[in-house]
Amino acid sequence: MGLRIVVIGANAAGGKAASKAKRYNPEAEVILIDKGKFISYAECGIPYYVAGYPSESERLMSTSSGVIRDVNYFKAKGIRARINSEAVEIDRNRKCIDVIDTETAEKSVIPYDKLIIATGSSPSIPKVENINLKNILTVKTIEDAILLKQRALTGNHACIVGGGLIGFEMADALKSRGMSVTVVEMREQLLYGFLDPDMALLLKEHLEQQGVTIMTGSKITGFKGDSSVKEVVVNDKEIPVDLVVLGVGIRPNIELARKAGLEIGVTGAIAVDSGQCTSDPDIFACGDCCETTNLVTGKKTYIPLGTTANKQGRVTGINAAGGYATFPGIVGTGIVKVLDFNIGRTGLTETDAKANGFDIETIINKAYDKPSYFPGAKQITLKLIAEKGTGRILGLQGLGEGGVDKRIDIAATAITFGATAENLSELDLAYAPPYSTVMDSLIVAANAIKNRLIQT
Amino acid sequence: MGLRIVVIGANAAGGKAASKAKRYNPEAEVILIDKGKFISYAECGIPYYVAGYPSESERLMSTSSGVIRDVNYFKAKGIRARINSEAVEIDRNRKCIDVIDTETAEKSVIPYDKLIIATGSSPSIPKVENINLKNILTVKTIEDAILLKQRALTGNHACIVGGGLIGFEMADALKSRGMSVTVVEMREQLLYGFLDPDMALLLKEHLEQQGVTIMTGSKITGFKGDSSVKEVVVNDKEIPVDLVVLGVGIRPNIELARKAGLEIGVTGAIAVDSGQCTSDPDIFACGDCCETTNLVTGKKTYIPLGTTANKQGRVTGINAAGGYATFPGIVGTGIVKVLDFNIGRTGLTETDAKANGFDIETIINKAYDKPSYFPGAKQITLKLIAEKGTGRILGLQGLGEGGVDKRIDIAATAITFGATAENLSELDLAYAPPYSTVMDSLIVAANAIKNRLIQT
């Protein structure tokens, strides 16, 4: 009998972990279970599905293509995948899990040698009046995606609750469908935690110019309607709506792990070591249900993202299958497209850096991403943050119509290796007029912060 | 009396050095001389000027705008700029230079405390029959640019001599003007030294599909015509042409330095230390006339590029003005756009790496730059090179319609810091569907080479 590896949750992290475990150790028996009807779908693609991107985007939701990895997809790899199978309890002593069939309520027990928890995350639901009305939707499941698209095609007014990443991806999609969009954010700034207030203000001004209604510092106290939502109550005013999208936050699905007595970290997500192992040496966790390390601060952090889930899934699969791999952590990179603006960040914001006790210098620089004479040259505003004394780059934020993603990725790489402002200014980046200015905007920002660091 | 700094050559490096010196030390007297009629023009913009990019591109050639930095531009900064002034000799004992006015032949002597040589480079001219016929042009000066554009607007058939970077930028521009384009390259591959033969072959196949005639392993033995070129003689066949563009290489302008007894490096360019100082402590050099260090091999190299010239100019200006700055070197990054293909490289090619004694592993991976369902998703082919044993990333080449520049810049940054394949695979890059796949093509390549490094 080979090693038996059971994976709970079949989306990004779980699907990857199962595949990698089987590939690493073909003798192992790999069982992948998921409580849903659909497994391993492209959750990040939902806003683009709603926006109606080309016919191929239908693939997102279709089990007939390769994009959705269904039971047969896993079967072909030698993995037993079971849908409609909810893990309700982990018995660590007997090393098995109790599973309930969500359609038949039938119970079963699956023994494991190594267990991988990839239970993901769930959208937070605000506790306000009439939250259960129809057409108040989250952005998580395939069922959500189908309803969101239906409403996008028939409704006129959308309200996005929460000015965060998923909220803005949906704002973009719904606006592209011709809906009017109002974003309601409780905090005084958009993309709280993601951007500093000064950068968030530039974004707000731009979105307002583009016809998006932004209400920061505004609280939703309830919804009105009979069966479907008709009005959102914000700051005691009623706004008519056909669709409400909830994007107020995401929390890790840790109930199963907590019940089993596994250690929960300071962030509220499952604690794991650099090999994705939980406090039980036979149980791993990966993806949105677990925390990770911020490589800039060295502290634990919870930033659930598909790309991290994939990398952790790979490492987890190898380790569960008897190999050795590590996932050191993240530097806090993220990006979002809203209308014609690209908004990205990596490392620490000014706010983060100060909260972590860093003595910092910052600079904001606006520049073209290509020579101004070049067709398609666009501006980007970069905010660079460095530590005084050492000159170490701590973070970068960028926004604008131009190539923000490239500068964010360069900075993410530099920050990973502890680069200083001097190092950043010396980088040998690819220059030709179709790609950048002769001194790239990021190098200009690095030179500018270097001058400040010297002067102070 | 303040420090007197004299700068010979007023393009990218010299113009930057003069400006930086004056800004760093406002008390210094900074004199900038150039033998040409135009100074500090955007040489890299010539192919785009020829392609006729928007009306603003006329700026490239117009002294009435900010893009050309004319005498008054420098005057406003407190720098004395003199055009038509050719430095013909450096007297290191008396610390002065002899200058001839190229229009009046008048001689003058300019004393210096610190001298900056930024004499640039010149296109190589092949020694073949009738090379002096009209419409056989290089891509260097504003006069070249004007003639190239005239021919692009009136001619039908262009021949590019040399399948290198500038040749391809011109091939792109001339094809966009509706000319038929034949590229003649003496070597058996395109972009020799820039790409490995396997990658160069992919480029050749693509360009041929796009209607460019490529003749590799082909030698031009002469030109025919009365006053203007009418035919190119290649492999003993005659090809009718209206325009010939010479792109067979670039050599550093070192005559002045050599005559003055300054050390010339192994690459044939002026030798400098990390502060851009020559073998004479009062003389600096920067830009296309000097060599630099390859940070991967630690050896001297000569890769003249505008972006390097700018960075070196900055460092040189500071040091000549009494400050302290260093330019550590380059990793060998470059990029070029040809029709719809982006072609980039950084670090060492497989050929370079083997020539430098590295024991290596390589991988070629073709992937989409964004999720395939996303509008505008395009493929790129990446070739990654790593050292066996250490796993250190030595180089990356990329080509395709997709976002090559971003992956090259990430790799250039990683290589600068000595990243391993493992490090590269763990990078926290910015992911959202408009920007990349959930596992970026570069991370996929890093994982693939990691697997190979482990197996071998």
Side-chain angles (χ1 to χ4, degrees), chain A residues 6-11 31-36 39 80-88 97-99 110 118:
Chain A
V6 176
V7 184
I8 304 173
N11 279 324
I31 299 167
L32 176 63
I33 69 165
D34 199 280
K35 66 178 179 181
I39 58 177
R80 279 175 52 202
R82 283 171 55 176
I83 56 170
N84 298 323
S85 299
E86 184 172 7
V88 291
I97 59 171
D98 292 345
V99 174
I110 306 176

Side-chain angles (χ1 to χ4, degrees), chain A residues 16 20 42 44-45 48 53-54 56-57 59-60 67 169 305-308 310-311 314 326-338 341-343 346 372-375 405-406 408-410 412-414 416-420 422-423 425-435 437-439 443 447-448 450-451, chain B residues 16 20 42 44-45 48 53-54 56-57 59-60 67 169 305-308 310-311 314 326-338 341-343 346 372-375 405-406 408-410 412-414 416-420 422-423 425-435 437-439 443 447-448 450-451:
Chain A
K16 189 84 181 179
K20 189 68 196 174
C44 307
Y48 308 99
Y53 281 171
E56 303 107 82
S57 84
R59 284 201 237 162
L60 272 178
V67 173
E169 287 184 335
L305 285 173
T307 184
T308 304
N310 263 279
K311 288 178 199 134
R314 192 177 193 276
T326 56
F327 180 75
I330 62 173
V331 293
T333 310
I335 193 157
V336 62
K337 186 169 186 303
V338 194
F341 250 36
N342 306 302
I343 306 119
T346 187
S372 56
Y373 65 79
F374 205 84
D405 58 327
K406 182 163 77 170
I408 292 294
D409 279 350
I410 297 166
T413 307
T416 301
F417 293 101
T420 63
E422 175 96 8
N423 296 148
S425 73
E426 292 163 352
L427 285 177
D428 185 16
L429 303 177
Y431 164 65
Y435 308 100
T437 49
V438 69
M439 293 285 259
I443 289 183
N447 276 322
K450 213 167 74 177
N451 289 340
Chain B
K16 189 84 179 179
K20 190 68 195 174
C44 307
Y48 308 98
Y53 282 170
E56 303 108 82
S57 83
R59 283 200 235 163
L60 273 177
V67 172
E169 287 184 335
L305 286 173
T307 183
T308 304
N310 262 279
K311 288 178 198 132
R314 192 176 194 278
T326 56
F327 180 75
I330 61 173
V331 293
T333 310
I335 194 158
V336 62
K337 186 169 186 301
V338 194
F341 250 39
N342 307 302
I343 306 119
T346 186
S372 56
Y373 67 78
F374 206 84
D405 58 327
K406 182 163 77 170
I408 293 294
D409 279 349
I410 297 165
T413 306
T416 301
F417 293 100
T420 63
E422 175 96 10
N423 297 148
S425 74
E426 292 163 353
L427 285 178
D428 184 16
L429 303 177
Y431 164 65
Y435 307 100
T437 49
V438 68
M439 292 285 258
I443 288 183
N447 276 323
K450 211 168 76 178
N451 288 341

Side-chain angles (χ1 to χ4, degrees), chain B residues 38-367:
Chain B
F38 305 95
I39 58 177
S40 213
Y41 59 95
E43 187 183 320
C44 307
I46 292 177
Y48 308 98
Y49 168 78
V50 173
Y53 282 170
S55 54
E56 303 108 82
S57 83
E58 301 292 330
R59 283 200 235 163
L60 273 177
M61 304 302 140
S62 153
T63 52
S64 65
S65 90
V67 172
I68 290 218
R69 299 185 177 97
D70 63 6
V71 168
N72 289 326
Y73 169 87
F74 286 105
K75 193 174 172 185
K77 294 187 171 208
I79 295 165
R80 280 174 52 203
R82 283 172 54 177
I83 57 169
N84 299 322
S85 299
E86 184 171 6
V88 290
E89 196 164 344
I90 300 167
D91 185 332
R92 291 166 56 193
N93 292 325
R94 291 190 301 139
K95 295 182 74 173
C96 62
I97 59 171
D98 292 344
V99 175
I100 289 184
D101 187 308
T102 54
E103 294 201 322
T104 64
E106 202 179 317
K107 289 184 186 174
S108 58
V109 173
I110 306 176
Y112 66 81
D113 294 313
K114 300 289 178 185
L115 180 67
I116 297 172
I117 301 176
T119 44
S121 59
S122 298
S124 300
I125 308 293
K127 286 182 184 127
V128 295
E129 197 191 357
N130 290 327
I131 187 75
N132 292 318
L133 285 174
K134 270 203 275 188
N135 299 327
I136 300 177
L137 298 169
T138 56
V139 188
K140 183 72 185 174
T141 65
I142 288 194
E143 290 83 352
D144 291 335
I146 291 164
L147 288 172
L148 284 165
K149 190 168 187 172
Q150 280 173 2
R151 292 313 291 166
L153 291 172
T154 55
N156 295 313
H157 304 294
C159 178
I160 312 281
V161 185
L165 294 180
I166 189 68
F168 277 119
E169 287 184 335
M170 284 308 302
D172 183 286
L174 297 174
K175 194 139 196 320
S176 79
R177 286 294 198 180
M179 294 188 89
S180 79
V181 173
T182 301
V183 177
V184 180
E185 167 59 53
M186 209 168 58
R187 307 268 187 176
E188 294 298 330
Q189 71 158 91
L190 297 177
L191 288 175
Y192 179 83
F194 188 89
L195 292 182
D196 281 321
D198 47 6
M199 294 294 277
L201 192 60
L202 297 178
L203 173 62
K204 180 169 183 263
E205 287 167 0
H206 180 76
L207 293 179
E208 285 173 341
Q209 280 165 17
Q210 302 291 309
V212 179
T213 304
I214 307 277
M215 303 175 72
T216 44
S218 298
K219 210 171 161 193
I220 285 180
T221 50
F223 299 97
K224 300 206 166 176
D226 297 328
S227 63
S228 293
V229 64
K230 292 277 182 289
E231 284 163 339
V232 177
V233 187
V234 190
N235 304 342
D236 299 325
K237 281 195 306 189
E238 290 164 13
I239 302 172
V241 288
D242 304 303
L243 170 63
V244 172
V245 179
L246 299 177
V248 294
I250 278 174
R251 46 183 182 72
N253 294 331
I254 61 165
E255 296 71 20
L256 198 63
R258 193 201 294 273
K259 270 203 304 186
L262 296 175
E263 188 186 336
I264 305 301
V266 287
T267 67
I270 301 171
V272 289
D273 65 15
S274 63
Q276 298 296 132
C277 193
T278 68
S279 54
D280 181 324
D282 293 320
I283 304 181
F284 298 83
C286 53
D288 286 9
C289 64
C290 69
E291 61 184 24
T292 189
T293 302
N294 182 311
L295 296 173
V296 183
T297 62
K299 295 179 186 169
K300 291 296 172 185
T301 189
Y302 180 66
I303 304 176
L305 286 173
T307 183
T308 304
N310 262 279
K311 288 178 198 132
Q312 290 178 340
R314 192 176 194 278
V315 166
T316 306
I318 292 171
N319 289 336
Y324 176 78
T326 56
F327 180 75
I330 61 173
V331 293
T333 310
I335 194 158
V336 62
K337 186 169 186 301
V338 194
L339 309 183
D340 55 352
F341 250 39
N342 307 302
I343 306 119
R345 61 76 57 93
T346 186
L348 308 181
T349 59
E350 177 176 358
T351 316
D352 294 337
K354 285 179 175 165
N356 280 281
F358 287 101
D359 188 15
I360 59 163
E361 194 61 71
T362 71
I363 192 131
I364 290 184
N365 187 62
K366 188 172 182 177

Side-chain angles (χ1 to χ4, degrees), chain A residues 15-299:
Chain A
K16 189 84 181 179
S19 298
K20 189 68 196 174
K22 186 70 187 175
R23 202 155 62 238
Y24 188 85
N25 184 349
E27 302 301 307
E29 181 185 5
V30 180
I31 299 167
L32 176 63
I33 69 165
D34 199 280
K35 66 178 179 181
K37 268 206 300 279
F38 304 97
I39 58 177
S40 214
Y41 59 94
E43 187 183 320
C44 307
I46 293 177
Y48 308 99
Y49 168 79
V50 173
Y53 281 171
S55 55
E56 303 107 82
S57 84
E58 302 291 328
R59 284 201 237 162
L60 272 178
M61 304 300 142
S62 152
T63 52
S64 65
S65 92
V67 173
I68 290 216
R69 300 186 176 95
D70 62 8
V71 168
N72 289 326
Y73 169 88
F74 286 105
K75 193 174 170 186
K77 295 188 172 207
I79 296 164
R80 279 175 52 202
R82 283 171 55 176
I83 56 170
N84 298 323
S85 299
E86 184 172 7
V88 291
E89 196 164 342
I90 301 167
D91 186 331
R92 292 166 54 191
N93 292 325
R94 292 190 300 137
K95 293 183 74 173
C96 62
I97 59 171
D98 292 345
V99 174
I100 290 183
D101 188 307
T102 55
E103 294 201 321
T104 64
E106 202 177 317
K107 288 184 187 175
S108 59
V109 173
I110 306 176
Y112 66 82
D113 294 313
K114 299 289 177 185
L115 180 68
I116 297 172
I117 302 175
T119 42
S121 59
S122 298
S124 299
I125 307 292
K127 285 179 186 130
V128 295
E129 197 189 359
N130 291 326
I131 188 74
N132 291 320
L133 285 175
K134 270 204 276 188
N135 300 326
I136 299 178
L137 297 168
T138 56
V139 187
K140 183 73 185 172
T141 65
I142 288 194
E143 291 82 352
D144 290 336
I146 291 164
L147 287 172
L148 284 165
K149 190 167 186 172
Q150 280 173 0
R151 293 311 291 164
L153 291 171
T154 55
N156 294 313
H157 304 292
C159 177
I160 313 281
V161 185
L165 294 180
I166 189 68
F168 277 118
E169 287 184 335
M170 285 307 303
D172 183 285
L174 297 173
K175 194 134 195 322
S176 79
R177 286 294 197 179
M179 293 188 90
S180 78
V181 173
T182 301
V183 177
V184 180
E185 167 58 53
M186 208 167 59
R187 306 268 188 176
E188 293 298 330
Q189 70 159 92
L190 298 177
L191 288 174
Y192 179 83
F194 189 89
L195 292 182
D196 281 320
D198 47 6
M199 294 293 278
L201 192 60
L202 297 177
L203 173 63
K204 180 170 183 262
E205 286 167 0
H206 180 77
L207 293 178
E208 285 173 341
Q209 280 165 19
Q210 303 292 308
V212 179
T213 305
I214 308 277
M215 303 175 71
T216 45
S218 297
K219 210 171 160 184
I220 285 180
T221 49
F223 300 98
K224 301 207 166 174
D226 298 329
S227 64
S228 292
V229 64
K230 291 278 181 288
E231 284 163 339
V232 179
V233 187
V234 191
N235 304 344
D236 300 324
K237 279 196 305 190
E238 289 165 11
I239 303 173
V241 289
D242 304 303
L243 170 63
V244 172
V245 179
L246 298 178
V248 296
I250 279 175
R251 46 186 181 70
N253 294 331
I254 59 164
E255 295 70 21
L256 198 63
R258 192 201 295 274
K259 271 203 305 185
L262 297 175
E263 187 187 335
I264 305 301
V266 287
T267 67
I270 301 171
V272 289
D273 65 16
S274 62
Q276 297 298 132
C277 192
T278 67
S279 54
D280 181 323
D282 293 320
I283 305 180
F284 298 82
C286 53
D288 286 10
C289 64
C290 69
E291 61 184 23
T292 189
T293 302
N294 182 312
L295 296 173
V296 184
T297 62
K299 295 179 185 168

Side-chain angles (χ1 to χ4, degrees), chain A residues 300-371:
Chain A
K300 290 297 173 185
T301 188
Y302 180 65
I303 305 177
L305 285 173
T307 184
T308 304
N310 263 279
K311 288 178 199 134
Q312 290 177 341
R314 192 177 193 276
V315 166
T316 306
I318 292 171
N319 289 335
Y324 174 78
T326 56
F327 180 75
I330 62 173
V331 293
T333 310
I335 193 157
V336 62
K337 186 169 186 303
V338 194
L339 310 184
D340 55 352
F341 250 36
N342 306 302
I343 306 119
R345 62 75 59 94
T346 187
L348 308 181
T349 59
E350 178 177 358
T351 315
D352 294 337
K354 286 179 175 166
N356 279 283
F358 287 102
D359 187 14
I360 59 164
E361 194 61 69
T362 71
I363 192 132
I364 291 183
N365 186 61
K366 188 172 182 178
Y368 278 98
D369 62 350
K370 296 170 193 175

